[in-house]
């Protein structure tokens, strides 16, 4: 009997482009600006990207451009969550205080606020044109391309 082994890399699809965005506006506002300036139709998905083991969730906007065979995703890289922290003040009673913890979808890029993931089957998306349009948006501080193969936590981008 023959034994067949499957490698995890066999299922990984790296046919997408990844653009990092530094921007301080809310996710819905950025989606609106991208729709306006890049002529997209991004819509918020019903369910966020939820990682139970990280206890964090990240907002995601999506548009499937079926005429050009391109899937656009705007993903938040930052999740801020309030947690209780036990604080000992030297008295008889311990006090709990709220602490704001920050989680990142891609920990290697902690300063990035959002990612645009462009999955195009026929490689017809011009990254330089997109970057030039993004840099023309005044609310975006900066944007640049990221090589998905250099990211250790690229599995977080499978959805």
């Amino acid at each position: 009997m023959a034994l067949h082994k499957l490698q995890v890399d066999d299922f990984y699809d790296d046919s997408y482009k990844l653009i990092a965005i530094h921007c301080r506006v809310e996710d819905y506002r950025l989606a609106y600006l991208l729709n306006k300036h890049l002529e997209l139709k991004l819509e918020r998905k019903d369910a966020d990207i939820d990682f139970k083991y990280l206890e964090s969730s990240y907002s995601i906007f999506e548009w499937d451009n079926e005429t050009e065979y391109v899937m656009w995703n705007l993903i938040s890289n930052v999740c801020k969550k309030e947690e209780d922290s036990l604080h000992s003040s030297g008295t008889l009673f311990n006090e709990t205080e709220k602490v704001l913890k920050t989680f990142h979808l891609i920990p290697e890029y902690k300063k990035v606020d959002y990612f645009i993931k462009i999955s195009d089957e026929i490689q017809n998306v011009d990254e330089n044109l997109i970057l030039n349009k993004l840099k023309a948006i005044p609310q975006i501080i900066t944007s640049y391309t990221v090589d998905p193969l250099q990211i250790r936590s690229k599995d977080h981008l499978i959805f």
Side-chain angles (χ1 to χ4, degrees):
M1 173 180 269
L3 181 65
H4 296 285
K5 290 185 178 181
L6 297 175
Q7 300 293 327
V8 174
D9 293 336
D10 293 342
F11 296 106
Y12 182 69
D13 181 24
D14 62 346
S15 64
Y16 63 88
K17 295 172 176 62
L18 197 61
I19 298 175
I21 296 178
H22 294 262
C23 181
R24 296 291 178 213
V25 299
E26 293 291 327
D27 54 1
Y28 62 88
R29 179 80 173 135
L30 180 60
Y32 169 77
L33 292 170
L34 293 176
N35 286 343
K36 181 179 175 185
H37 291 276
L38 295 176
E39 299 172 4
L40 304 177
K41 297 178 183 171
L42 292 168
E43 294 179 359
R44 176 89 184 242
K45 288 184 76 168
D46 293 334
D48 290 344
I49 299 172
D50 193 18
F51 292 108
K52 298 291 184 196
Y53 65 94
L54 292 176
E55 297 179 6
S56 59
S57 64
Y58 305 90
S59 63
I60 180 169
F61 293 77
E62 185 174 84
W63 177 47
D64 187 8
N65 186 349
E66 295 175 356
T67 58
E68 296 181 11
Y69 304 106
V70 180
M71 176 75 76
W72 293 79
N73 291 300
L74 172 65
I75 311 113
S76 174
N77 189 41
V78 179
C79 173
K80 293 186 179 184
K81 187 175 179 185
E82 229 179 45
E83 292 185 348
D84 291 331
S85 174
L86 193 59
H87 177 68
S88 178
S89 61
T91 62
L92 183 60
F93 302 104
N94 290 331
E95 298 174 3
T96 59
E97 65 181 41
K98 299 284 186 186
V99 177
L100 191 64
K101 287 186 100 176
T102 303
F103 300 94
H104 298 280
L105 180 67
I106 308 295
E108 297 94 315
Y109 290 93
K110 290 185 178 184
K111 295 188 178 187
V112 173
D113 298 310
Y114 300 97
F115 286 104
I116 295 178
K117 179 182 173 187
I118 307 167
S119 304
D120 54 340
E121 295 176 15
I122 44 182
Q123 306 292 323
N124 62 350
V125 175
D126 185 10
E127 289 178 63
N128 293 327
L129 179 67
I130 294 169
L131 286 173
N132 288 335
K133 287 183 178 182
L134 288 175
K135 290 177 182 175
I137 301 172
Q139 290 86 350
I140 293 179
I141 300 167
T142 188
S143 60
Y144 50 89
T145 59
V146 175
D147 185 7
L149 298 176
Q150 302 299 321
I151 299 174
R152 288 188 312 253
S153 55
K154 60 186 164 215
D155 296 340
H156 294 175
L157 294 171
I158 300 173
F159 40 82

